[in-house]
Amino acid sequence: MRHSLTLRIGPATFRIGSAWAQPIDQLKRLYADYPDVGGAIADFTVRLQPTSAVRRWVRPSIFITGDHGLADAAPMSLAHGLLAAEMGMNLQMALGWRRHLLLHASSVEKDGRVLVMTGESGSGKSTLAAQLGERGWRLMGDEFALLDLDSGAILPFPRLVSLKNKAIEVIAGEVPGARMGPLLGATAKGDIRHMVPRADAVARMGEGGMPALLLFPRFGSGPAERPVGRGEVFMRLTQASTNYVALGEPAFAALTRFVAQVPARAIDFPSGEAAIAMVDRLWSEIA
Amino acid sequence: MSAALLVGALRDPATTAGLDAAGWNSLIAMARAERLIGTLAFRLEGQAVPDAVRPILADAKEDAAREAQQAVWEADRARAALAPIGLPVILLKGTAYAAAGLPAGWGRFIGDLDILVPRDRIDAAADALIAAGWEWVKEDPYDDAYYRRWMHELPPMIHTERDRMIDVHHTVLPLTARPTPDAAAMMADAVLITDGLYMLSAEDRVCHAVAHLLADGDLQGGLRNLWDIHCLLADVDPEALKVRAARHGITPHVRQAQRLAAAIYGTGGRLTLWDRLVRARLLARNGWGQETRKALVFAFFVRSHWLRMPPLMLARHLLTKWRKGHRPQ
């Protein structure tokens, strides 16, 4: 492909090829402080290619694919090329990664112990992780938490943090502009803006930690808190995993151990400040 | 760059010793695109490979092992579903190779479960499968009628709980295709694998794979199908294969597949001009895993329809599909 870049994020290496320069240039700027792995052997190939020969030039339209693709993936406009690249990497991980149990979760670390937050899109887990990452925690990732099948540790996967809609102004107010990506308006999920994690998150992206607390955050009401039973935690985490079935028995064993060892709480919160206060209290009480 | 890199690695794994990082990236992307990554992983067993490649191959092998286990279980479920109506399950393609432990199945990607049943029992087979939890995938009445009237299989079904597809074949090629392999003879000579599961005889396995590769297909996934044939040929008696190919009316196709398998995966062979065109189509893949030679690929796509249907019927079919917005990829 005409334009390309190799990126290493946590344990995974991506070779990203694009028919257009723009998405690659944006990735280069935002991932500038990540390790230089040009020419490395990649775990996955991502391709941003035109949906047809004409759509390379006329109203450019990106088909996101690669080693693992979805035939019915919706095409995206070139203006959203950065998002397309990020989605392409997500797609490869979700469909192809086998070395850890993938949990659709954000995670942050303090004193070698990890807080894992999972919930549906819009629950506030990304925003909360981004905010904690600016306030004394180390951001490990906002999209996937990688659960090591043998040791039970959570490993970092610190991609760009994807901020949506109202979360954008909340975080942009706290983070220097150099760490913010371009505003991508009117995507399928509304407005999106990416944030580069702090330098410590990138520098320590090979370093995992043992999970100490699992939260199911929910933005919009409360504050309220309830314990979550092991059966429910197990079911919700199997649903939050894209490769639980593919990994089979080792995933069952790792998840069983996680559920038995890590206390879990569901929290409802009306604002970021309220959520951070709840996290601090729960962390000091039970983690 | 073409898929010659991939076939070279499958033919002689030692050639990968000279690959740099860019070469490995190309090889892995091609192998994944052709769904031959598991096969490649098995072929490279015991070879020294770079550290970054080792986990990729290990993952591919584990995926293949899990797929094989799942496929054989699915076959067993079909066996249980069809046993009450007295139909044995004759497995075709990947599931058969996996269940029988044939080299063609080592690391092989397995998609749907393909089984062969007598044409006069297809309705009973469909009813039994529906009773056991399968359901029709295609709701469209045109598609349904198209399959039933013209094709060599029922419309695909999917299991409601396990999300796995089954293709119930009642013959080898579409009823409208020019060669007509003798499905009844294939069923009569099927051999027991284990526990009520059957597969075709060694010669019929080759004939079936060849029919799909050369008489029917647009050569999508052709490198994988040719790898199957290359592996399956090791088990046949060449004279018996000749007789069987003649019986099924596909002698030229079997001969061509033998030439291509020898030239691409074996020790070499003389190719005709037509063989070279097929080889060019099979190798149309670049180091990013993309299909190349669009015109040639499209020509084979058109040809596959031409082979399957008489021209007037083809025109009517394409018009119907086109009105609904279907486009060839």
Side-chain angles (χ1 to χ4, degrees):
Chain A
M1 304 206 72
R2 189 163 299 181
H3 308 276
S4 67
L5 174 68
T6 305
L7 284 178
R8 179 169 299 150
I9 298 153
T13 307
F14 301 88
R15 178 176 67 140
I16 304 151
S18 168
W20 304 271
Q22 181 194 317
I24 299 296
D25 289 344
Q26 288 180 337
L27 287 177
K28 279 182 182 161
R29 176 171 89 76
L30 294 168
Y31 284 100
D33 293 333
Y34 283 64
D36 183 0
V37 290
I41 295 172
D43 296 299
F44 296 116
T45 288
V46 177
R47 302 197 309 257
L48 307 180
Q49 61 190 42
T51 49
S52 71
V54 175
R55 296 302 287 273
R56 178 180 191 139
W57 309 105
V58 184
R59 287 188 295 129
S61 178
I62 305 175
F63 177 61
I64 307 166
T65 186
D67 289 329
H68 306 276
L70 294 175
D72 55 356
M76 294 178 69
S77 78
L78 183 54
H80 298 155
L82 173 64
L83 178 61
E86 290 284 307
M87 286 173 68
M89 287 189 269
N90 276 346
L91 191 65
Q92 304 314 309
M93 285 300 278
L95 298 178
W97 192 252
R98 296 288 181 265
R99 287 166 231 170
H100 307 96
L101 182 67
L102 282 176
L103 298 173
H104 184 60
S106 65
S107 55
V108 293
E109 176 262 3
K110 196 190 258 184
D111 306 323
R113 301 190 313 152
V114 180
L115 166 65
V116 181
M117 294 172 280
T118 184
E120 285 166 18
S121 191
S123 64
K125 65 182 188 306
S126 285
T127 317
L128 191 49
Q131 286 183 307
L132 292 169
E134 300 299 313
R135 301 168 193 209
W137 297 74
R138 169 170 65 112
L139 179 73
M140 296 177 77
D142 89 309
E143 182 74 31
F144 289 122
L146 312 182
L147 175 60
D148 191 282
L149 296 170
D150 300 319
S151 72
I154 295 288
L155 299 179
F157 188 60
R159 297 262 305 289
L160 302 182
V161 177
S162 163
L163 303 166
K164 295 174 196 81
N165 301 317
K166 284 181 184 162
I168 295 173
E169 54 184 292
V170 173
I171 302 297
E174 299 185 25
V175 170
R179 281 178 43 215
M180 297 298 291
L183 178 69
L184 308 173
T187 74
K189 288 189 173 177
D191 292 345
I192 288 184
R193 203 169 167 192
H194 293 94
M195 183 199 91
V196 182
R198 284 163 54 108
D200 63 323
V202 178
R204 294 171 63 195
M205 71 183 194
E207 196 182 310
M210 291 307 286
L213 177 62
L214 173 68
L215 289 181
F216 294 95
R218 193 168 61 187
F219 171 74
S221 60
E225 178 208 323
R226 71 174 174 92
V228 187
R230 285 181 184 181
E232 186 184 342
V233 172
F234 191 91
M235 290 308 293
R236 286 175 73 165
L237 289 179
T238 58
Q239 286 160 12
S241 173
T242 58
N243 65 357
Y244 174 74
V245 172
L247 288 169
E249 196 176 342
F252 174 79
L255 199 56
T256 306
R257 185 169 51 173
F258 180 97
V259 170
Q261 292 177 350
V262 182
R265 294 286 188 280
I267 58 169
D268 294 348
F269 54 90
S271 71
E273 295 311 315
I276 289 164
M278 292 173 91
V279 167
D280 283 343
R281 183 174 52 76
L282 285 168
W283 188 257
S284 61
E285 281 173 12
I286 58 175
Chain B
M1 173 82 59
S2 83
L5 176 66
L6 171 60
V7 303
L10 290 171
R11 182 175 54 224
D12 181 6
T15 57
T16 57
L19 290 179
D20 60 6
W24 279 106
N25 279 331
S26 297
L27 176 61
I28 291 163
M30 283 174 185
R32 283 193 175 131
E34 294 287 345
R35 293 184 156 159
L36 276 165
I37 186 76
T39 306
L40 180 68
F42 267 84
R43 287 292 288 162
L44 292 182
E45 221 169 46
Q47 288 283 317
V49 300
D51 286 347
V53 173
R54 211 169 301 123
I56 293 172
L57 298 178
D59 289 348
K61 270 163 86 177
E62 281 199 19
D63 268 351
R66 191 196 71 254
E67 239 166 47
Q69 184 184 31
Q70 218 168 22
V72 173
W73 171 247
E74 202 61 23
D76 181 76
R77 295 298 79 206
R79 179 200 56 74
L82 297 180
I85 59 167
L87 268 184
V89 166
I90 302 177
L91 301 172
L92 301 172
K93 302 194 251 186
T95 308
Y97 313 151
L102 301 179
W106 296 350
R108 190 189 192 277
F109 167 84
I110 303 173
D112 309 336
L113 170 62
D114 296 283
I115 65 169
L116 185 61
V117 302
R119 185 143 192 249
D120 59 1
R121 303 289 308 276
I122 50 170
D123 288 328
D127 290 345
L129 290 171
I130 287 167
W134 277 269
E135 62 186 15
W136 302 111
V137 175
K138 303 207 179 201
E139 298 294 332
D140 186 291
Y142 173 75
D143 284 335
D144 189 72
Y146 165 82
Y147 269 96
R148 283 170 185 276
R149 245 187 107 185
W150 306 118
M151 293 306 287
H152 54 296
E153 60 199 4
L154 286 174
M157 305 173 87
I158 195 163
H159 196 275
T160 46
E161 284 163 20
R162 295 190 300 274
D163 210 25
R164 300 280 295 186
M165 304 257 280
I166 186 168
D167 281 335
V168 180
H169 299 245
H170 51 78
T171 182
V172 176
L173 287 174
L175 301 172
T176 52
R178 284 158 195 110
T180 47
D182 187 344
M186 285 189 176
M187 278 181 264
D189 285 358
V191 294
L192 183 68
I193 304 171
T194 169
D195 297 337
L197 296 175
Y198 293 78
M199 65 175 166
L200 304 180
S201 73
E203 286 74 26
D204 280 343
R205 289 199 292 275
V206 171
C207 288
H208 184 264
V210 167
H212 275 274
L213 177 67
L214 296 173
D216 172 34
D218 55 10
L219 299 180
Q220 278 277 347
L223 278 184
R224 180 165 62 83
N225 293 332
L226 191 67
W227 178 259
D228 288 345
I229 293 168
H230 167 72
C231 295
L232 294 173
L233 278 170
D235 289 334
V236 301
D237 167 31
E239 287 309 311
L241 178 60
K242 254 186 210 169
V243 172
R244 207 60 179 169
R247 167 80 182 260
H248 294 306
I250 54 170
T251 298
H253 303 94
V254 168
R255 285 203 185 127
Q256 186 185 26
Q258 285 175 305
R259 292 193 301 272
L260 286 166
I264 292 180
Y265 292 124
T267 50
R270 280 174 64 99
L271 294 182
T272 66
L273 197 63
W274 171 230
D275 294 343
R276 286 167 201 273
L277 216 54
V278 172
R279 185 176 63 176
R281 166 64 186 92
L282 289 173
L283 298 182
R285 182 78 62 185
N286 70 17
W288 285 89
Q290 295 169 298
E291 219 163 43
T292 57
R293 306 184 199 205
K294 299 273 186 207
L296 186 65
V297 169
F298 185 71
F300 271 93
F301 173 80
V302 172
R303 177 180 171 269
S304 75
H305 275 68
W306 186 261
L307 289 177
R308 260 180 248 181
M309 293 180 166
L312 203 67
M313 192 175 134
L314 172 61
R316 203 169 56 208
H317 171 67
L318 288 179
L319 185 68
T320 309
K321 297 299 275 188
W322 176 76
R323 279 198 190 124
K324 283 182 227 171
H326 173 81
R327 298 281 187 287
Q329 283 300 309

